[in-house]
Every structure is written in C-alpha cells, then in structure tokens.
Amino acid sequence: MPTLPNLDHYWLPFTDNRQFKSMPRLFKEAKGNYYTTIDDRKVLDATSGLWCVSGGHGREEIASAVAHQLRTLDYAPAFQSSHPLAFKAAEKLAEFLPDGLDRIFFTNSGSESADTALKIALAYHRANGNPLRNKLIGRERGYHGVNFGGISVGGIAGNRKSFGNALSGVDHIRHTLNISQNAFTKGVPLEGGIALANEFEQRITTLHDPSTIAALIVEPVQGSGGVVIPPAGYLKRLREICDKYGILLIFDEVITGFGRVGTRFGADYFGVIPDILTCAKGITNGAIPMGAVAVKREIHDAFMKNSPSNTIELPHGYTYSAHPIACAAAIAMLDIFENDKLVERAADISNYFEQVAHSLKGAPFVKDIRNIGLMCGIELESNPDNIGARGFATYLKCYELGVHIRFTGDTIAISPPLTIEKHEIDRIFNSVFDALTFLGAEGERALDPTIYLKNEQQWAAHQQEIQQQHATLTGSA
C-alpha cells in the first residue's frame, strides 16, 4: 500500500476537506497530458491542471530556464529596483498580447491581477481629475478570483456569502446564459447578444450616474461560472457603451488567454480590445505562480503625466511582482507558444473537439453543451434534493476511469492542454459518457460518494489507524 502523507495539517482550497481526506486523490508525477497517481495509475488531464498547463506537463524548456535562474539570481527586490528579466518578460508578453495593450504590471495570480486591474481603473480616473468615478460593475456568474475586489465584482454567490459585503459601490449586469434559447449551440450563440449588452446601458443610466462608473469587468467567456459563451455582438456592444460613457472595459482573460479559445486571447477571437486585460495561469504553464495586467499606453501615460514629480505613481505592488524565477518561466513558455505553434494547434483541433463534445447530446442528464476553442461546459440536470451531487459523482467516476475532469455544481468543464491528441479527446468524452451512463443506471445510489475510489478510502482508513497507533504509543491519545 502506498505511503500517505499526514493529511491533518493542510487545509485544501475550494474543497470539501472532510470528504477529500476520506478518499485522498493524490498525484505524484506529471508528464505530457497525463498525471500519475500515488498508486501509479495514469490519469489523462482533461482540465490543464486548473486551466493553466497549456503546453502539457513537465516541459524541459521551463525546467531548464527555472533551474538556471535559481542559480543565477533567485530574488531581486521588486520595489525601487528590479532585474533585466522583468523587462524582457514584459516585452515578450506585450508582443503576444492584442495590439495596444503594451504596458505590463506583474502579479502572482489571477486573483491579484483582478484586484490590480480594479485599482488601476480607480486610480486612473483620479489621476485624470475624476475622483467621483469610483463605482465598479461586474457580471452575474463572473469569477475574478478570491481577493476582496475580485469577489465584490464577481457574481458567484458561494464565493461571496461567507465574507460579508466586501467592496461598496459595486453593481452587476446579467449573465449571458440562456439555455432555453441557445441549448446545444456549437460555438458562439447567434441570438440575443445586442439586447443583453443594451441592458447594461439601461441599468447604469437608470440606477447610476454613468459619470460615477470607473470600469466594467467581464470575462470574454465565463469559465468558472460554467463555460458561458457570449452571443454574437455582445462584447462589441459593451465596448461601444463603455466608450460612450467614458467607462474603462476590463477583460479578465485568466482562463481565456494563451490559446484556450483558439486565438491568443479572447479579445482576439471576438475582435474587441479592452482598456485593461488580466491574465495568469498559462503565462508560465502553471509551473510558477505569476499573473499580469496589461493596459493601454494612454492609461499608463496618464499616471506618468499627472502624478507629481518624485512620487510613486501607483502605490501598489507585491513582494514577488516580476519574480526572477517566474519571469524565466514566462519567457520560456512564450517561446514554447511560438516554437510549437500551440495557438494554431488549438485552433486546428477545436473543430474535432466540438464534434466529439456534442456527441454527448442525448446522454443521461445532459441538458446543454457549450463549447469554444478547447473549452467545453456540459450542464447536467440537477437532482433537486442534492444540487451538485451529479457533477461530483461524474467527477469521481471519471477519475476511476482514468480521466481528470472539473465540475462546478452540476456543470462539467473540459479544458485539456493545447497539446491534446484526437484519440485523447475521444477518451475524455467517452469517459464522461460512461460515467453519465453509470449514473443513469444506478440512480440515487450513484450520488453516494462512498461507492467510488475504494482504494483511496482504504488508504485514508490506514492513515487514520497509523495516527491512532502513534498517539497511543506517545501517550497523546
């Protein structure tokens, strides 16, 4: 039996810790598109880790760059000094980003990127002599990380209700999911986009003075909220409304960036350039924590021109902003994107991905399938007495079958590495089909997590037994 670590001390994020520790799901290695579990099973990564391992696991180019940088310069102060790789990483990222977004502020995560973007938006209006522009608009079902700014403009109730009111001066527009009208759409829905965007204008002019709104933040495609794809024309109309009222438009591209939708960024796919763009995850292939905020040059220059001399233009930053190791990883990953043509590869295989994904139409409990690029949401009919149970059971059954998927409530999310092969796409969706077929055949029994992963449950019981024996021997029982 594999040796388990002591599970007591680590508090897992976004996890039912009690359930997890009763059947620990542990990976010990990863290479290419596969994880290796603690009991030596190969598990196909259908989620790119957490939307981040775009180039596949274990890239030697990144490992070598990181190792060299660790031996050369492991850390440099981020305030009042820097190091050459910070500027090189910013230059390479600016070349990869949509035109015009070429001033880069480095962070350590998507959450920090979202909060940084919001702070830049507020400070920009103040620098321009408009301090009353201090309201922020988010969107229902939106996810912008877990810091207080991000959860304030975010629209996922479960991420907000435990933490009070967070920021004041925040409102939300309606999300774009309309299953009754657009179920099983392949790619971008054609109907309803302009009307939904116009609701933004109607709401802000009715409930707010538009001259008090600093920014609107949206994901081009809502990822964590269930892979919600905006209808045609929606984002372009939002851009027009923001321009009309002098509101900054922020795109959160932490998930949609770096090839996920078959273009470099969602902004490229939809042909809409925001004023500010946030990213993270794929910037280093998930190897080192890093995020970034890109702004239009005129936003950056407003701080430089309108701040008094000999002052800090933006009093914001992190100890690990532009960390040398993260910069080395980012430069290596941007080279991989170029050398391996990962974005083009994702675009080429996305049609096959779409075809196979929609083959699940008619499978038990499937009420909608949504896809764009190499991301797909499979929405299941919920058990009214146990919301989210079918999503979790599908996840556990797929894990048994050797495929790692992601679930949010009763929506299954598929987002494989951009290096995925056609036969692996087949395996992913065949496993989801088999899991759903199992759920349909087993009925209520299938919603009981304890019927899955018996080996993991035996490990957990053995771990508990060892701890009890140790406590007895040391007299601490």
Side-chain angles (χ1 to χ4, degrees):
M1 178 176 291
T3 301
L4 285 180
N6 186 333
L7 303 176
D8 289 345
H9 301 288
Y10 178 41
W11 191 346
L12 285 81
F14 277 115
T15 301
D16 180 344
N17 279 253
R18 292 160 296 183
Q19 190 285 327
F20 176 88
K21 291 175 181 180
S22 72
M23 53 168 70
R25 301 172 291 279
L26 300 175
F27 299 125
K28 67 176 183 179
E29 296 175 3
K31 189 68 176 176
N33 298 334
Y34 293 86
Y35 285 110
T36 302
T37 67
I38 195 171
D39 60 338
D40 294 318
R41 289 196 309 124
K42 295 293 184 184
V43 175
L44 178 56
D45 181 5
T47 61
S48 298
L50 269 175
W51 310 88
C52 51
V53 188
S54 303
H57 296 275
R59 299 296 304 230
E60 289 297 329
E61 304 96 316
I62 298 174
S64 296
V66 166
H68 173 75
Q69 189 58 40
L70 274 170
R71 297 186 181 99
T72 305
L73 176 68
D74 56 351
Y75 179 77
F79 306 161
Q80 305 296 339
S81 58
S82 190
H83 58 95
L85 277 192
F87 299 91
K88 182 178 179 181
E91 182 181 18
K92 286 189 72 71
L93 180 58
E95 293 170 354
F96 194 80
L97 283 157
D99 290 343
L101 295 166
D102 62 359
R103 295 295 184 265
I104 313 298
F105 192 103
F106 283 117
T107 70
N108 307 292
S109 68
S111 293
E112 289 184 359
S113 292
D115 274 31
T116 297
L118 298 174
K119 292 174 78 172
I120 288 174
L122 293 169
Y124 165 77
H125 290 299
R126 181 174 290 274
N128 275 346
N130 298 309
L132 295 182
R133 279 196 182 269
N134 53 22
K135 294 177 181 175
L136 301 167
I137 309 296
R139 187 167 58 179
E140 296 169 357
R141 296 180 76 119
Y143 180 72
H144 304 291
V146 295
N147 292 346
F148 273 109
I151 64 171
S152 298
V153 295
I156 298 177
N159 294 352
R160 295 160 53 92
K161 63 184 180 182
S162 296
F163 310 109
N165 294 327
L167 297 184
S168 60
V170 174
D171 204 348
H172 295 79
I173 60 175
R174 187 154 67 98
H175 64 76
T176 63
L177 182 61
N178 187 340
I179 293 177
S180 63
Q181 183 180 47
N182 296 319
F184 299 101
T185 295
K186 294 181 178 180
V188 175
L190 298 179
E191 304 296 330
I194 303 301
L196 278 167
N198 284 339
E199 283 189 16
F200 167 48
E201 183 173 25
Q202 294 159 6
R203 180 172 294 191
I204 64 170
T205 56
T206 300
L207 300 178
H208 304 281
D209 177 351
S211 67
T212 66
I213 297 174
L216 167 68
I217 182 170
V218 296
E219 302 155 88
V221 178
Q222 292 180 295
S224 297
V227 189
V228 181
I229 301 159
Y234 173 79
L235 292 173
K236 286 188 176 181
R237 181 62 185 138
L238 287 184
R239 174 75 275 179
E240 293 170 357
I241 295 167
C242 287
D243 288 342
K244 178 179 177 180
Y245 293 105
I247 298 167
L248 296 180
L249 178 60
I250 304 171
F251 276 3
D252 185 330
E253 296 238 32
V254 171
I255 283 177
T256 53
F258 299 102
R260 177 55 53 193
V261 297
T263 54
R264 290 183 174 186
F265 288 87
D268 300 307
Y269 186 97
F270 291 101
V272 179
I273 305 299
D275 301 295
I276 302 174
L277 184 150
T278 72
C279 60
K281 294 189 183 293
I283 192 172
T284 63
N285 205 43
I288 302 288
M290 192 181 205
V293 178
V295 305
K296 288 182 174 178
R297 191 174 303 183
E298 53 264 36
I299 292 176
H300 168 272
D301 289 352
F303 286 90
M304 303 303 121
K305 294 175 182 177
N306 298 331
S307 300
S309 59
N310 300 315
T311 62
I312 295 171
E313 299 93 357
L314 181 67
H316 172 71
Y318 304 97
T319 299
Y320 302 114
S321 289
H323 192 286
I325 311 306
C327 288
I331 292 167
M333 186 59 200
L334 288 166
D335 285 341
I336 289 170
F337 271 105
E338 179 180 355
N339 296 335
D340 290 8
K341 299 189 181 303
L342 287 182
V343 176
E344 296 84 350
R345 193 182 190 288
D348 288 344
I349 205 168
S350 62
N351 287 337
Y352 186 80
F353 181 83
E354 174 180 271
Q355 173 189 336
V356 179
H358 281 270
S359 70
L360 290 180
K361 184 177 181 180
F365 309 117
V366 173
K367 63 185 289 188
D368 189 24
I369 298 170
R370 306 181 285 272
N371 72 283
I372 186 171
L374 287 183
M375 59 192 300
C376 172
I378 305 161
E379 186 141 344
L380 308 179
E381 297 172 359
S382 295
N383 182 309
D385 299 320
N386 198 352
I387 304 296
R390 283 190 180 131
F392 186 43
T394 305
Y395 159 79
L396 291 175
K397 187 62 179 176
C398 284
Y399 191 91
E400 281 191 345
L401 296 171
V403 174
H404 185 262
I405 64 171
R406 178 153 170 72
F407 72 100
T408 302
D410 286 308
T411 300
I412 304 302
I414 306 296
S415 57
L418 309 187
T419 53
I420 199 75
E421 301 287 348
K422 287 184 177 180
H423 70 90
E424 294 168 330
I425 292 173
D426 292 339
R427 182 180 172 191
I428 290 168
F429 289 105
N430 286 340
S431 296
V432 174
F433 178 83
D434 290 344
L436 293 173
T437 300
F438 176 82
L439 265 64
E442 294 294 322
E444 290 295 317
R445 176 178 176 271
L447 303 185
D448 178 5
T450 64
I451 73 169
Y452 302 98
L453 304 181
K454 294 296 186 182
N455 201 33
E456 284 78 357
Q457 293 184 60
Q458 291 174 8
W459 299 341
H462 183 63
Q463 181 73 34
Q464 186 177 25
E465 179 182 337
I466 291 173
Q467 291 171 0
Q468 289 173 345
Q469 291 174 354
H470 178 74
T472 299
L473 290 172
T474 59
S476 58

